[in-house]
Amino acid sequence: MRILLVEDEPAIAQVVLHALRAEGFEAVHCLTGGEALAAARDRVFDLAVLDVGLPDIGGFALCRELRRERDLPVIFLTAQDAEADRILGLEIGADDYVTKPFSPRELVARVRVVLRRLQPPAREGHGGDTFVHDTEGHRIRYRGHALDLTRYEYGLLAALLQRPGAVLSRAQLMDRVWGDALESGDRTVDTHIKTLRAKLRDVAPDHDPIRTHRGMGYSLDTAT
């Protein structure tokens, strides 16, 4: 597993890198958001650990940029203990949030938990009743059938697969799939969910793995 660490304090970065590598992770360190974006263009990362207070690009903005191409799990690091910052980080889709000072061993444990939680099921037998997500090829199979998805349908399903069972709000889905597309709104999410459901029903007419949570958003049942 390859981890992207973006931290502008070299002393903290070295301790974290040592802890990650000691646990078998391949870890790449960047001092700035700009370096991180360049690194992400050259290679694929399984998770990013981002400092919120970077000198060039704020950690929240960097998170959005990194997720334009793929739905990357993110853990935020910050020296700020303000509740508003924690809430903002979680609202834009952070998978965890760690406040400095922290234990490097605890951070590594949190990395493992996030990666384990977000790993989609890979079973495909006895009817192929789960999803199989090829993140490198941007392809998804459902019950053994390759889905013919548009860019945004794929983005929605990939976002839901990253956190099976978790409720993602329309705002979170907009941020992950559409980014800064000003012409898009909540109805855009609903419309694409509808077409995505139709394609899933073409494979399994009696099942609907996408759950609607009124006033909250959508979740995905990967056991359906």
Side-chain angles (χ1 to χ4, degrees):
M1 290 285 188
R2 183 181 294 143
I3 311 299
L4 173 64
L5 171 65
V6 190
E7 167 60 63
D8 64 333
E9 297 185 44
I12 293 177
Q14 288 305 311
V15 172
V16 173
L17 286 173
H18 177 76
L20 287 169
R21 290 167 179 167
E23 292 297 319
F25 291 107
E26 178 185 350
V28 176
H29 174 227
C30 296
L31 286 167
T32 67
E35 289 181 15
L37 292 174
R41 285 193 291 268
D42 293 336
R43 65 194 85 179
V44 175
F45 292 96
D46 298 291
L47 181 144
V49 178
L50 309 180
D51 184 16
V52 172
L54 296 171
D56 56 344
I57 304 173
F60 297 144
L62 176 59
C63 176
R64 293 188 180 95
E65 290 297 320
L66 289 170
R67 283 177 165 171
R68 286 186 182 277
E69 297 301 323
R70 59 185 298 267
D71 196 10
L72 181 69
V74 168
I75 296 176
F76 283 120
L77 298 179
T78 180
Q80 303 168 18
D81 196 21
E83 181 182 18
D85 288 324
R86 293 197 301 273
I87 292 173
L88 178 58
L90 294 171
E91 283 184 345
I92 69 171
D95 298 285
D96 208 342
Y97 201 105
V98 180
T99 303
K100 300 175 185 177
F102 57 86
S103 160
R105 291 180 63 186
E106 179 187 356
L107 175 60
V108 172
R110 288 175 180 261
V111 167
R112 288 195 179 281
V113 168
V114 170
L115 290 172
R116 186 164 57 245
R117 186 175 72 234
L118 301 183
Q119 184 67 37
R123 304 186 311 275
E124 195 177 347
H126 304 291
D129 60 349
T130 57
F131 292 89
V132 178
H133 187 188
D134 174 8
T135 56
E136 298 273 343
H138 294 264
R139 294 183 293 267
I140 299 175
R141 299 175 69 85
Y142 176 50
R143 294 189 162 215
H145 296 267
L147 297 172
D148 182 14
L149 303 175
T150 67
R151 169 189 170 187
Y152 294 123
E153 289 166 353
Y154 168 79
L156 280 173
L157 189 51
L160 292 168
L161 275 169
Q162 281 284 344
R163 303 184 66 181
V167 179
L168 297 182
S169 68
R170 289 175 176 82
Q172 287 176 305
L173 292 169
M174 284 294 303
D175 185 67
R176 294 186 179 204
V177 181
W178 281 268
D180 296 328
L182 298 178
E183 70 279 6
S184 301
D186 286 353
R187 291 293 300 168
T188 300
V189 175
D190 294 339
T191 298
H192 283 80
I193 287 288
K194 181 178 179 180
T195 61
L196 180 56
R197 273 182 163 138
K199 291 183 178 181
L200 295 175
R201 279 197 299 270
D202 285 343
V203 175
D206 298 330
H207 296 276
D208 182 5
I210 299 177
R211 305 286 187 240
T212 300
H213 302 266
R214 192 173 300 276
M216 298 174 62
Y218 298 98
S219 67
L220 187 71
D221 181 1
T222 55
T224 300

